[in-house]
């Protein structure tokens, strides 16, 4: 049977870990290890049932992988309610029902006479204006019905809300209760009386008021059970009118039910002025009349449709992660249930579908349908008297009509919010169809807070300023319709104003949903301004976001007037190159970082001009963090321009190298490897010329040296360039000989550059330094076969074999891998203009945490590249700040232990490659570096993270990243905050054992520190890029780095040293705990130790006092003081 297909099948499907038949069985149960199930032969070959077959087929057709199916099933288990909970909730509801029937009646009083209400409760309604006609008395409710998701089984954890409709009896209403908020006030009084009675009951842990979806006209009562079950459930009581109380025709969107004279508190109405329609007001009353019919409608859709329940749970999780499901005008769970029912009615969904198919179909519909242009309705039979969709479109921004044909379910939603939902749905469909992305993780498990989803975020600090905006925009009728809620009134107008002003620059202008928290029953109801600050998010079109010109219509066109009114005094006539004379707006911005903030100028200008919102009320977070990568004066940019000039100078030098005459072999390639040449150097080099008086000269060699009396000269970084020479039979095959030949090339390059291009050069054995345009370039000659020759090893038997040596690896890294990485990232910068600045912020943060020596620059560059190449569920960052926040999030949340980070540079990896990398990674995990980054040219070795970071350093990085992210997001989301955002760039130092304080005048990069020093020293250079005939400046001289190297050489077995190379004034030292354990006395291992006796034995322990003394002696002139923090080393 060995060769039969059955045997092959059996071998293929044997569960992992099961021994093949006939072999020895695995030893029974190691604790915790999963054991394969023992199946009899008959069971093994049992044909699959039809259910299993259909499941397999479905998995194959619908899901990318069986993994996605399992993940979704697991998530549904997590969020659905357990039966034991349901029993408790049902019991709680029964008790509420019996309590409601027992509430006493009250005598009839005028609506405005509320003295009968006891002291402990306030009416949960803003009664403005206060005087209103009508009478009120309390009569216990006629019935109580559970409505909403609880009965349908579609409510999901963490927040279980059960909606209960309490029907107010007919006898408490009068004829004209539909007018002037009378119905709403009766409803509020009704709830207030129930609340007051319930607050005395032992059954409830808390009794509170809230606004339904933060709508001021709709207070509801929240009841939670007593004791430890309080968190389990919230019962929401909705008061609704007796059926048939109101004639529906009174509430059509074009009808008026709030009289202007009453709202404005005028004694007599104006003659002949028509009353404006009040669609939102009408809608809010109609909603209460259809609660039960909606429940019946949904439950008929959900019968025999298990996929609907699962699909809704997934859709609700999707909405929650995007912050779309709470607040005024949200896309609530109820709304999404109605949408699924609509798709079922239209046969876009059928009852056979699984939850995942329901999710996909709904997202597909949202992505392709714009309800703000073409509304949809659930009303089946068209009754000629009912309002048509066009009537709804005139009254509301987004239209989705319920089965009765009367209620717009999206009445409070702004068009902007719907467009955000639509944008998210489009993006989600792309992600689900992309085989390379783990759709489940990205769509359902990743939160999208505004700060990380939008490129720029700004806050309107005081919502009360929107009152002025309503006046300025003449929105009195809308204000009346919204019951005086100026936030809800002005918001759609403000957003559409911004959308018009930023058209072409942004894909999306989004706003946060106004939210009002619940309040206790004895407190005043919250005012409109209590929504707190409103937040707006802008998502840029990277090509146009920073353009300085807004070109308008030609001066003689009729639209020109409209353009002028819109932009105000900023608009002016300009003549363009094609001879046309047009209206135009030009924004002032010199540097790239100022251009990125042009949207801020537009936002401030338009809000001031059209909505009377003063600049002081707008807190704009677009570039607050960029100050840490800015050196020198405030007005200069963030170094993008400097970076471009370095690259230009380098391009010119490489052309000159290509065309050098007189070299024995031609140059085949010139490749930059310095970070500045891929736009990711934290502080780009600045052209410099030395001041001779600050240096001592060595006349004979035309050289300068640092002078002892003066501060240390400014740091000049050599920009490394690899110069590949062509291969030839003349190259020797011996490694020492190759080094000599390379040295000869270095001398000759220097000579020829000096002769043919008058460049000042300084040759050395391993490189040649060239001074050009104020920069110093370091040329290093490379020969492509040298790494191979370095690998040669002769065995004792005289055989030649090849094996990796440290030297060959290092050389390959420098001459092959680093140039490739640099050119790939240079290309990425061309596609995404903020890539470089994001890298620089990320590296500045790593340096500020004193960890730059423990993680390579290339590694950070690749982490940032990952954010741009694999941004799902976001779009690629278009501002450095959002890129940096996502970098911190990636560091803190990525599962480094179980996953490789695959950075698909130049799209060099296919889906199969990625799977292979993941599988090999899992198989070899224990031998691989703790942080594993794979790229197309480096799939298995993760060369940039091979040596560092260590496990402990990575752990420290993760902690710092998640803390920094938390602190930063709090600061950026709180506009009243006056704290400095640089806080996350100032690390806590109390964690270290010893601090070595340095003398600032010997720190060459002192000006680069996070907090600019108050006084700086002249560093012996002037900024100058034209000098030609000069003495060669001092290159790559940083006394602190030399000192650190000496410390590490001498004490690396006892301590770790940390330093911020960008102007840090402190070296932090951490003792290694193992080196403080007493060692047996040996003469050979006495370095830095002293002898002492422990239990009558001679042992040696570190001599801390002497070591601290050594720190001082080694760094004489550089070290200001040594401060020992802790007594950890006492034994």
């Amino acid at each position: 049977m060995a060769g039969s297909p059955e045997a092959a099948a059996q071998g293929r499907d044997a569960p992992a870990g099961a021994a093949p038949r006939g072999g020895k069985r695995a030893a029974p149960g190691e604790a915790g290890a999963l054991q394969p199930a023992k199946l009899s032969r008959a069971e093994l070959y049992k044909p699959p049932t039809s259910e299993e077959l259909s499941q397999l087929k479905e998995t194959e057709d619908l899901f990318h992988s069986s993994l996605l199916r399992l993940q979704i099933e697991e998530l549904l288990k997590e969020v659905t309610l357990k039966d034991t909970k349901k029993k408790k909730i049902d019991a709680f509801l029964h008790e509420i029902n019996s309590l409601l029937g027992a509430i006493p009646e009250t005598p009839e009083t005028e609506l405005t006479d509320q003295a009968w209400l006891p002291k402990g409760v306030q009416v949960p309604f803003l009664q403005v204006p206060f005087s209103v006609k009508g009478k009120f008395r309390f009569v216990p409710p006629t019935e109580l019905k559970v409505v909403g998701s609880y009965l349908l089984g579609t409510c999901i954890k963490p927040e279980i809300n059960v909606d209960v409709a309490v029907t107010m009896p007919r006898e408490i209403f009068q004829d004209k209760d539909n007018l002037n908020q009378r119905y709403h006030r009766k409803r509020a009084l009704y709830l207030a009386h129930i609340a007051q009675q319930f607050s005395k009951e032992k059954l409830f842990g808390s009794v509170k008021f809230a606004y339904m979806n933060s709508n001021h006209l709709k207070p509801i009562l929240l009841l939670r059970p007593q004791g430890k079950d309080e968190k389990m459930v919230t019962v929401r009581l909705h008061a609704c009118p007796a059926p048939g109380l109101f004639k529906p025709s009174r509430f059509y969107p074009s009808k008026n039910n709030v009289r202007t004279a009453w709202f404005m508190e005028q004694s007599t109405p104006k003659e002949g002025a028509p009353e404006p329609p009040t669609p939102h007001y009408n809608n809010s009353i109609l909603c209460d009349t259809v609660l039960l019919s909606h429940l019946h409608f949904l439950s008929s859709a959900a019968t025999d449709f298990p996929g609907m329940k699962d699909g809704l749970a997934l859709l609700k999780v999707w909405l929650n992660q995007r912050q779309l499901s709470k607040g005024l005008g949200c896309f609530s769970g109820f709304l999404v249930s109605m949408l699924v029912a609509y798709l079922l009615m239209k046969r876009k969904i059928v009852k056979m579908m699984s939850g995942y198919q329901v999710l996909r179909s709904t997202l597909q519909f949202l992505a392709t349908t714009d309800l703000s242009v073409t509304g949809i309705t659930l009303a089946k039979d068209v009754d000629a008297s009912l309002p048509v969709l066009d009537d709804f479109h005139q009254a509301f921004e987004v239209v989705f009509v319920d089965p009765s044909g009367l209620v717009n379910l999206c009445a409070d939603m702004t068009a902007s919010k719907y467009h955000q939902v639509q944008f998210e749905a489009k993006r989600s469909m792309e992600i689900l169809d992309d085989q390379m992305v783990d759709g489940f993780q990205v769509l359902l498990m990743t939160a999208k807070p505004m700060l990380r989803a939008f490129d720029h975020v700004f806050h309107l600090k005081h919502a009360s300023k929107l009152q002025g905006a309503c006046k300025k925009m003449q929105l009195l009728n809308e204000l009346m319709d919204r019951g005086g809620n100026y936030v809800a009134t002005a918001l759609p107008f403000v957003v559409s104003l911004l959308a018009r002003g930023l058209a072409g620059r942004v894909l999306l202008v989004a706003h946060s949903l106004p939210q009002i928290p619940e309040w206790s029953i004895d407190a005043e109801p919250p005012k409109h301004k209590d929504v707190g600050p409103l937040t707006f998010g802008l998502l840029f079109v990277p090509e146009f976001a920073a353009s300085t010109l807004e070109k308008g219509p030609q001066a003689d066109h009729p639209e020109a007037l409209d353009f002028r009114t819109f932009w105000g005094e900023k608009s002016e006539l300009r003549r363009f190159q094609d001879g046309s004379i047009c209206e135009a707006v030009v924004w002032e911005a010199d540097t790239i970082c100022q251009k990125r903030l042009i949207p801020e100028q537009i936002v401030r200008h338009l809000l001031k001009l059209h909505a009377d919102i003063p600049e002081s009320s707008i807190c704009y977070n677009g570039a607050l963090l960029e100050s840490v990568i800015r050196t020198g004066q405030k007005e200069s940019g963030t170094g993008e321009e400097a970076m471009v000039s370095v690259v230009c100078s380098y391009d010119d030098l490489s052309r000159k190298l290509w065309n050098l005459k007189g070299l024995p072999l031609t140059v085949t390639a010139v490749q930059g490897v310095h970070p500045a040449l891929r736009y990711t150097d934290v502080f780009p080099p600045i052209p410099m010329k030395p001041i001779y008086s600050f240096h001592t000269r060595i006349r004979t060699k035309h050289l300068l040296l640092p002078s002892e009396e003066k501060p240390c000269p400014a740091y000049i970084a050599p920009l490394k360039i690899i110069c590949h020479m062509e291969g030839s039979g003349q190259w020797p095959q011996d490694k020492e000989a190759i080094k000599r030949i390379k040295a000869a090339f270095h001398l000759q390059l220097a000579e020829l550059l000096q002769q043919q291009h008058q460049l000042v050069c300084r040759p050395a054995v391993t490189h040649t330094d060239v001074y050009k345009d104020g920069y110093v370039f370091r040329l290093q000659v490379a020969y492509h076969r040298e790494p191979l020759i370095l690998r040669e090893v002769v065995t004792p038997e005289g055989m030649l074999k090849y094996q990796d040596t440290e030297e060959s690896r290092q050389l390959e890294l420098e001459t092959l891998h680093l140039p490739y990485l640099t050119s790939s990232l240079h290309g990425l910068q061309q596609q995404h203009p903020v890539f470089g600045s994001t890298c620089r912020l990320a590296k500045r943060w790593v340096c500020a945490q004193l960890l730059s020596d423990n993680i390579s620059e290339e590694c950070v560059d690749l982490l940032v590249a990952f954010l741009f190449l694999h941004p799902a569920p976001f779009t690629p960052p278009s501002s450095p700040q959002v890129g940096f926040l996502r970098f911190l999030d990636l560091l803190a949340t990525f599962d480094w232990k179980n996953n490789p980070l695959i950075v698909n540079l130049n799209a060099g990896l296919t889906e199969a490659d990625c799977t292979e990398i993941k599988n090999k990674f899992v198989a070899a995990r224990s031998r691989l570096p703790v942080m594993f980054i794979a790229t197309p040219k480096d799939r298995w070795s993760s060369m940039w993270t091979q040596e560092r970071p260590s496990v402990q350093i990575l752990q420290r990085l993760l902690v710092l990243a998640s803390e920094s992210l938390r602190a930063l997001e709090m600061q950026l989301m709180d506009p009243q905050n006056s704290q400095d955002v640089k806080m996350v760039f100032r690390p806590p130092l109390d964690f270290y054992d010893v601090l070595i304080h340095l003398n600032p005048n010997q720190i060459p990069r002192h000006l680069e520190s996070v907090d600019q020093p108050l006084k700086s020293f002249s560093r012996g250079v002037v900024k100058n890029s034209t000098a030609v005939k000069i003495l060669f400046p001092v290159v790559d001289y940083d006394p602190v780095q030399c000192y650190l190297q000496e410390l590490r050489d001498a004490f690396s077995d006892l301590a770790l040293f940390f330093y911020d190379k960008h102007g840090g004034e402190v070296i932090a030292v951490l003792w290694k705990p193992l080196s403080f354990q007493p060692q047996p006395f040996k003469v050979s291992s006495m370095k830095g130790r002293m002898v002492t006796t422990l239990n009558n034995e001679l042992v040696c322990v570190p001599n801390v006092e002497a070591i601290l003394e050594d720190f001082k002696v080694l760094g004489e002139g550089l070290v200001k003081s040594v401060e020992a923090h802790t007594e950890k080393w006492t034994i």
Side-chain angles (χ1 to χ4, degrees):
M1 157 179 160
S4 72
E6 278 179 24
Q10 184 190 320
R12 189 179 65 231
D13 294 339
R21 284 181 78 94
K24 285 190 180 138
R25 286 269 172 204
E30 288 98 48
L34 289 170
Q35 292 303 312
K38 290 186 181 172
L39 297 172
S40 70
R41 184 146 185 166
E43 287 174 307
L44 268 175
Y45 293 111
K46 194 168 62 178
T49 61
S50 61
E51 197 178 311
E52 286 174 334
L53 276 174
S54 73
Q55 248 190 342
L56 287 167
K57 177 93 183 84
E58 190 185 81
T59 303
E60 201 175 319
D61 294 349
L62 300 178
F63 298 90
H64 287 170
S65 61
S66 46
L67 178 66
L68 177 61
R69 178 179 200 127
L70 294 171
Q71 285 172 318
I72 285 184
E73 285 169 3
E74 198 54 41
L75 173 71
L76 289 171
K77 264 189 230 155
E78 281 290 308
V79 297
T80 43
L81 256 184
K82 310 260 182 313
D83 286 340
T84 49
K85 284 266 170 70
K86 280 191 184 155
K87 285 193 183 126
K88 282 187 179 174
I89 293 175
D90 290 343
F92 185 53
L93 290 171
H94 279 296
E95 297 193 43
I96 293 177
N97 195 12
S98 54
L99 282 174
L100 272 172
I103 296 180
E105 295 190 15
T106 62
E108 188 166 72
T109 56
E110 286 294 315
L111 251 182
T112 45
D113 167 23
Q114 293 161 4
W116 59 273
L117 266 177
K119 282 277 181 286
V121 63
Q122 301 257 12
V123 184
F125 194 85
L126 292 173
Q127 306 182 59
V128 182
F130 184 70
S131 64
V132 66
K133 292 178 184 161
K135 296 187 162 43
F136 176 79
R137 69 189 180 111
F138 183 88
V139 180
T142 47
E143 63 173 344
L144 173 140
K145 278 275 173 63
V146 176
V147 291
S149 60
Y150 178 68
L151 275 189
L152 300 172
T154 57
C155 62
I156 62 164
K157 294 194 281 196
E159 289 179 23
I160 301 289
N161 292 319
V162 180
D163 293 293
V164 175
V166 176
T167 307
M168 299 182 280
R170 215 185 180 107
E171 57 262 36
I172 70 169
F173 293 103
Q174 282 99 27
D175 270 354
K176 292 188 172 174
D177 278 350
N178 57 315
L179 293 180
N180 300 352
Q181 299 183 2
R182 290 182 206 174
Y183 163 75
H184 291 97
R185 296 191 184 189
K186 286 191 174 177
R187 195 176 162 279
L189 284 167
Y190 198 86
L191 286 173
H193 186 61
I194 296 179
Q196 193 269 324
Q197 295 292 328
F198 277 6
S199 62
K200 304 181 218 162
E201 296 292 338
K202 292 270 187 297
L203 173 65
F204 303 110
S206 71
V207 178
K208 290 190 165 176
F209 287 129
Y211 289 131
M212 183 62 191
N213 285 336
S214 298
N215 181 348
H216 284 262
L217 296 174
K218 296 300 265 304
I220 51 177
L221 186 59
L222 306 182
L223 306 170
R224 295 192 179 92
Q226 181 66 37
K228 64 177 191 303
D229 289 337
E230 184 170 355
K231 295 275 190 305
M232 174 178 76
V233 64
T234 303
V235 173
R236 307 196 284 192
L237 286 194
H238 302 257
C240 57
L245 175 68
F246 295 123
K247 254 212 224 109
S249 57
R250 284 185 177 169
F251 297 110
Y252 287 179
S254 54
K255 296 284 174 52
N256 168 282
N257 280 302
V258 181
R259 306 289 187 250
T260 318
W262 170 80
F263 187 74
M264 300 302 288
E265 301 189 72
Q266 296 156 344
S267 48
T268 51
K270 279 191 186 154
E271 283 303 308
E275 291 286 354
T278 53
H280 290 89
Y281 174 92
N282 301 350
N283 203 75
S284 74
I285 296 183
L286 282 171
C287 276
D288 285 352
T289 63
V290 290
L291 284 172
L292 279 173
S293 62
H294 285 170
L295 176 71
H296 296 312
F297 175 72
L298 282 175
S299 64
S300 71
T303 42
D304 308 327
F305 187 4
M308 175 164 171
K309 192 171 140 185
D310 294 350
L312 285 176
L314 293 174
L315 282 161
K316 286 178 181 181
V317 171
W318 183 81
L319 289 164
N320 286 343
Q321 293 288 30
R322 283 156 184 69
Q323 299 182 341
L324 295 169
S325 61
K326 275 202 187 110
L328 182 66
C330 62
F331 206 102
S332 62
F334 166 67
L335 193 55
V336 89
S337 312
M338 290 304 251
L339 183 61
V340 170
Y342 169 80
L343 295 176
L344 186 67
M345 188 176 102
K346 289 286 184 222
R347 304 221 162 77
K348 296 259 172 64
I349 286 178
V350 289
K351 290 200 171 186
M352 294 289 294
M353 286 186 173
S354 68
Y356 175 68
Q357 284 169 298
V358 171
L359 171 76
R360 275 195 73 115
S361 312
T362 311
L363 291 180
Q364 181 60 37
F365 175 80
L366 283 170
T368 50
T369 319
D370 188 349
L371 297 184
S372 63
V373 181
T374 50
I376 54 177
T377 175
L378 284 161
K380 285 203 179 77
D381 43 344
V382 181
D383 178 349
S385 66
L386 283 176
V388 290
L389 279 176
D390 278 352
D391 298 340
F392 282 105
H393 273 298
Q394 271 167 7
F396 303 105
E397 290 203 328
V398 185
V399 176
F400 177 11
V401 181
D402 84 321
S404 70
L406 295 167
V407 178
N408 177 13
L409 301 170
C410 293
D412 290 332
M413 193 181 292
T414 61
S416 141
K417 191 44 77 177
Y418 183 76
H419 290 145
Q420 188 187 347
V421 173
Q422 203 182 359
F423 177 83
E424 288 290 357
K426 275 185 194 147
R427 187 83 190 92
S428 299
M429 285 310 290
E430 287 164 20
I431 290 168
L432 283 175
D433 293 336
D434 181 356
Q435 305 282 325
M436 303 281 274
V437 181
D438 175 1
F440 173 79
Q441 189 62 34
V442 162
L443 290 189
L444 300 172
M445 305 303 282
T446 312
K448 289 189 73 171
M450 281 186 98
L451 271 180
R452 270 178 269 149
F454 293 97
D455 295 312
H456 283 185
V457 168
F458 65 93
H459 307 285
L460 179 59
K461 281 194 225 174
H462 317 106
S464 53
K465 291 282 182 273
L466 289 172
Q467 228 168 334
C470 291
K471 268 206 193 80
K472 177 87 174 175
M473 294 172 157
Q474 296 166 340
L475 301 177
L476 173 69
N477 295 348
E478 286 81 356
L479 194 60
M480 215 159 73
D481 178 22
R482 300 260 193 179
N485 184 350
Y486 48 81
V487 177
T489 307
L491 193 59
F493 291 92
V494 167
V495 176
S496 55
L497 171 78
L498 294 175
R500 179 180 166 188
L502 294 161
R505 295 173 191 267
V506 296
L507 288 166
L508 208 57
V509 178
H511 58 87
S512 63
L513 293 163
Q515 265 182 349
I516 291 201
E518 52 192 64
W519 68 96
S520 65
I521 60 170
D522 56 357
E524 290 274 317
K527 308 274 192 296
H528 303 300
K529 65 171 190 297
D530 294 339
V531 294
L534 285 175
T535 307
F536 296 82
L538 308 177
L539 194 61
F540 292 142
V541 180
E543 300 79 39
F544 308 113
S547 80
T548 50
L549 176 77
E550 199 81 48
K551 189 175 174 185
Q554 292 201 353
D556 47 2
H557 282 204
E559 298 94 71
L561 179 64
D562 185 38
F563 185 86
R564 278 199 297 275
T565 349
F566 185 74
W567 290 106
E569 77 278 9
K570 288 267 183 207
S571 174
E572 50 194 32
L573 279 179
R574 291 207 163 216
R575 179 183 228 114
F576 289 89
Q577 284 174 334
D578 58 1
S580 62
I581 295 176
C582 296
E583 289 287 342
V585 178
V586 179
W587 302 99
E588 287 293 313
D590 306 326
T591 60
I592 295 179
C593 80
Q594 286 170 333
K595 283 184 183 158
R596 277 203 297 269
L597 286 173
I598 287 178
E600 173 175 10
Q601 295 187 40
I602 295 177
V603 166
R604 289 181 183 279
H605 172 69
L606 289 177
L607 290 182
K608 182 90 191 76
L609 181 67
H610 294 290
D612 258 351
I613 295 173
E615 300 224 345
S616 56
S617 290
I618 298 167
C619 167
Y620 196 98
N621 293 341
L624 291 182
L625 291 172
E626 291 176 31
S627 59
V628 295
I629 51 173
R630 190 181 289 154
T631 53
Q633 297 69 38
K634 282 276 177 276
E635 63 278 357
S636 67
T638 47
E640 281 103 338
E641 293 77 12
M643 211 77 88
V644 173
S645 74
V646 174
V647 175
C648 290
S649 177
Y650 155 73
D651 287 342
D652 184 49
L653 178 62
S654 56
R655 273 194 296 278
K656 291 187 163 129
L657 286 167
W658 288 99
N659 302 327
L660 272 186
K661 295 181 182 60
L663 273 176
L665 294 175
T666 56
V667 175
T668 56
V670 179
Q671 295 174 311
V673 293
H674 189 274
L677 303 176
R678 54 178 185 257
Y679 300 97
T680 67
D681 195 14
V682 181
F683 293 103
I686 295 166
M688 303 209 197
K689 169 181 179 253
I691 304 171
Y692 297 159
S693 62
F694 271 75
H695 299 74
T696 47
R697 287 194 228 185
I698 306 179
R699 290 265 165 188
T700 50
K701 292 192 176 168
H702 298 292
L703 288 183
L704 296 176
L705 286 180
S707 152
E708 281 187 29
E709 291 79 58
K710 298 275 169 43
C712 158
Y715 182 74
I716 297 181
L719 306 171
K720 196 167 181 188
I721 296 174
I722 302 290
C723 218
H724 289 270
M725 291 300 186
E726 67 178 331
S728 137
Q730 307 290 312
W731 279 98
Q733 298 303 308
D734 172 64
K735 54 184 180 188
E736 287 307 317
I738 291 177
K739 284 182 186 157
R740 303 281 157 77
I741 298 278
K742 278 163 59 179
F745 269 119
H746 291 136
L747 285 165
Q748 191 155 18
L749 279 173
E751 208 171 296
L752 295 172
L753 283 170
Q754 211 136 12
Q755 284 170 12
Q756 293 171 28
H757 300 289
Q758 290 74 50
L759 292 172
V760 186
C761 299
R762 192 174 73 188
V765 178
T766 52
H767 58 262
T768 284
D769 284 345
V770 181
Y771 178 84
K772 176 179 187 300
D773 303 332
Y775 305 111
V776 175
F777 293 96
R778 177 161 286 182
L779 304 181
Q780 185 178 331
V781 168
Y783 165 47
H784 68 95
R785 290 209 40 199
E786 189 181 5
L788 191 70
I789 293 163
L790 286 176
R791 283 203 193 111
E792 287 177 2
V793 181
V794 180
T795 60
E797 293 81 53
M799 298 278 289
L800 189 64
K801 69 169 190 179
Y802 291 97
Q803 66 184 45
D804 272 349
T805 60
E806 193 47 50
E807 204 180 356
S808 72
R809 236 190 259 124
Q810 197 49 42
L811 191 73
E812 241 182 343
L813 208 62
E814 278 182 12
T815 58
L816 288 173
H817 299 298
L818 199 50
Y820 166 75
L821 180 74
T822 301
S823 67
S824 301
L825 296 180
H826 184 285
L828 194 60
Q829 167 71 24
Q830 307 307 323
Q831 290 169 339
H832 301 286
V834 300
F835 167 71
S837 307
T838 307
C839 276
R840 294 167 55 209
L841 272 176
K843 286 188 201 172
R844 185 68 194 94
W845 178 81
V846 171
C847 287
Q849 308 303 330
L850 312 184
L851 294 173
S852 53
D853 291 332
N854 296 288
I855 180 168
S856 63
E857 286 210 22
E858 294 76 20
C859 169
V860 180
D861 286 348
L862 281 169
L863 288 175
V864 175
F866 177 83
L867 301 172
F868 285 84
L869 293 167
H870 313 279
F874 305 100
T875 47
S878 288
S879 78
Q881 178 168 300
V882 76
F884 176 64
L885 290 170
R886 287 190 213 162
F887 163 78
L888 292 177
D889 182 55
L890 173 71
L891 255 188
T893 58
F894 190 80
D895 181 0
W896 297 104
K897 193 171 173 186
N898 301 314
N899 289 307
L901 186 81
I902 301 174
V903 184
N904 198 355
L905 293 169
N906 307 331
L909 294 169
T910 61
E911 193 194 347
D913 293 335
C914 294
T915 312
E916 189 191 0
I917 290 174
K918 284 177 187 157
N919 294 343
K920 286 199 178 174
F921 169 84
V922 172
R925 182 64 191 112
S926 55
R927 299 192 297 283
L928 297 172
V930 284
M931 186 185 232
F932 188 92
I933 300 180
T935 60
K937 285 271 199 282
D938 166 33
R939 298 180 188 191
W940 316 119
S941 68
S942 183
M943 60 181 69
W944 308 111
T945 61
Q946 204 103 73
E947 311 296 324
R948 53 202 182 153
S950 63
V951 186
Q952 296 83 350
I953 294 289
L954 181 62
Q955 193 46 48
R956 173 99 181 126
L957 256 179
L958 305 191
V959 171
L960 288 166
S962 67
E963 273 305 297
S964 301
L965 184 65
R966 197 184 55 74
L968 254 182
E969 293 198 329
M970 263 174 58
Q971 286 178 321
L972 294 175
M973 278 316 279
D974 174 16
Q976 316 297 358
N977 179 341
S978 55
Q979 281 177 307
D980 185 358
V981 285
K982 284 185 180 178
M983 190 174 83
V984 300
F985 289 86
R986 303 186 187 109
L989 293 175
D990 43 12
F991 168 77
Y992 299 98
D993 298 326
V994 179
L995 299 179
I996 304 175
H997 295 276
L998 306 173
N999 187 353
N1001 69 0
Q1002 292 303 326
I1003 305 174
R1005 300 185 245 191
H1006 194 220
L1007 280 174
E1008 295 176 2
S1009 57
V1010 171
D1011 298 297
Q1012 296 263 319
L1014 295 172
K1015 68 174 207 292
S1016 59
F1017 303 90
S1018 169
R1019 294 275 173 206
V1021 287
V1022 283
K1023 289 180 188 171
N1024 184 344
S1025 56
T1026 51
V1028 183
K1029 291 257 180 286
I1030 64 151
L1031 293 179
F1032 213 87
V1034 178
V1035 179
D1036 200 14
Y1037 171 62
D1038 185 342
V1040 188
Q1041 292 299 333
C1042 306
Y1043 176 53
L1044 267 173
Q1045 197 47 56
E1046 286 183 17
L1047 287 175
R1048 285 182 180 136
D1049 292 345
F1051 302 109
S1052 58
D1053 55 336
L1054 291 171
L1056 295 169
F1057 298 91
F1058 301 90
Y1059 177 64
D1060 174 4
K1061 63 181 179 192
H1062 296 294
E1065 295 187 13
V1066 174
I1067 294 176
V1069 186
L1070 209 51
W1071 298 119
K1072 290 187 174 176
L1074 286 177
S1075 57
F1076 276 81
Q1077 288 171 357
Q1079 309 272 333
F1081 170 65
K1082 275 194 200 138
V1083 176
S1084 58
S1085 62
M1086 279 304 293
K1087 191 168 113 189
R1089 297 177 183 277
M1090 61 182 184
V1091 179
T1092 174
T1093 52
L1094 185 72
N1095 304 338
N1096 301 331
E1097 280 183 43
L1098 276 183
V1099 289
C1100 41
V1101 292
N1103 183 353
V1104 177
E1105 278 70 30
I1107 294 171
L1108 297 184
E1109 191 60 35
D1110 288 353
F1111 288 171
K1112 250 195 192 122
V1113 173
L1114 274 175
E1116 196 182 347
L1118 173 62
V1119 174
K1120 199 157 66 175
S1121 64
V1122 176
E1123 170 192 352
H1125 254 191
T1126 54
E1127 297 297 322
K1128 280 186 195 170
W1129 50 82
T1130 50
I1131 294 182

